[in-house]
Amino acid sequence: MTPITLTIPGPPRPQLRHRKGRNGRYYDPSSQDKGRVRTHMLVQVMQMGLERTELAQKRILEVDLTFGMPIPNSWSQKRSESVEGKPHTSKPDIDNLRKLVFDAGNGILWPDDSIIAKDSARKIYSKEPYTIIHMKEVQNA
């Protein structure tokens, strides 16, 4: 498998905890965010000419995530320009951002996120928010 890179436009969203509704049933408040990410994944996979079943084969993966976080509108232009590309150190937590991407990729990029053996993630400030997913197969040593 050759390395694959996908770019999801828009601000990265964290995975939220399941909530209990008025009817007593639990629901996933992040389902719309997952749906948006899944749609972008599917479109890009199809544009690359890759089959979804080809990607979702069982193999050991290494995934590198880059989250381009939005710069607050309240910041001055000078401050905004000075933080472009610098580490983002406020909420949301990086593990919740990672969890939403991993769950959204189930059945599209991988059969289940349990086959991801190695991952890395970083959050940086960006004028145009995005999520970059770079994945490659782990070579057997």
Side-chain angles (χ1 to χ4, degrees):
M1 175 183 148
T2 59
I4 296 172
T5 302
L6 303 173
T7 302
I8 311 298
R13 306 284 294 187
Q15 171 72 35
L16 302 174
R17 293 179 186 262
H18 283 69
R19 306 235 188 253
K20 191 173 187 179
R22 289 183 183 171
N23 60 3
R25 293 186 180 152
Y26 287 90
Y27 69 98
D28 182 4
S30 296
S31 61
Q32 287 183 338
D33 296 327
K34 281 184 202 172
R36 181 185 66 86
V37 171
R38 288 178 65 82
T39 301
H40 283 289
M41 287 177 179
L42 279 170
V43 167
Q44 290 185 39
V45 164
M46 288 175 12
Q47 287 174 344
M48 288 182 206
L50 299 170
E51 289 292 327
R52 195 168 138 192
T53 55
E54 175 188 333
L55 280 175
Q57 292 175 4
K58 186 145 176 91
R59 61 192 179 284
I60 301 170
L61 292 177
E62 180 178 334
V63 178
D64 181 40
L65 301 170
T66 303
F67 299 102
M69 304 302 288
I71 297 171
N73 292 332
S74 61
W75 289 8
S76 69
Q77 185 176 358
K78 183 178 179 181
R79 184 175 181 190
S80 295
E81 290 171 359
S82 70
V83 298
E84 177 81 25
K86 300 269 173 58
H88 180 276
T89 56
S90 58
K91 292 203 179 245
D93 296 348
I94 200 164
D95 58 326
N96 294 330
L97 293 168
R98 178 187 291 151
K99 181 69 177 151
L100 186 121
V101 172
F102 286 174
D103 286 351
N106 287 341
I108 299 173
L109 302 178
W110 40 75
D112 187 67
D113 54 348
S114 63
I115 68 164
I116 298 171
K118 182 178 179 183
D119 73 304
S120 63
R122 68 187 133 290
K123 295 187 305 180
I124 59 173
Y125 283 106
S126 175
K127 289 181 183 171
E128 294 295 324
Y130 60 84
T131 301
I132 295 176
I133 305 164
H134 181 77
M135 55 186 237
K136 63 182 179 178
E137 193 168 0
V138 174
Q139 301 299 322
N140 294 334

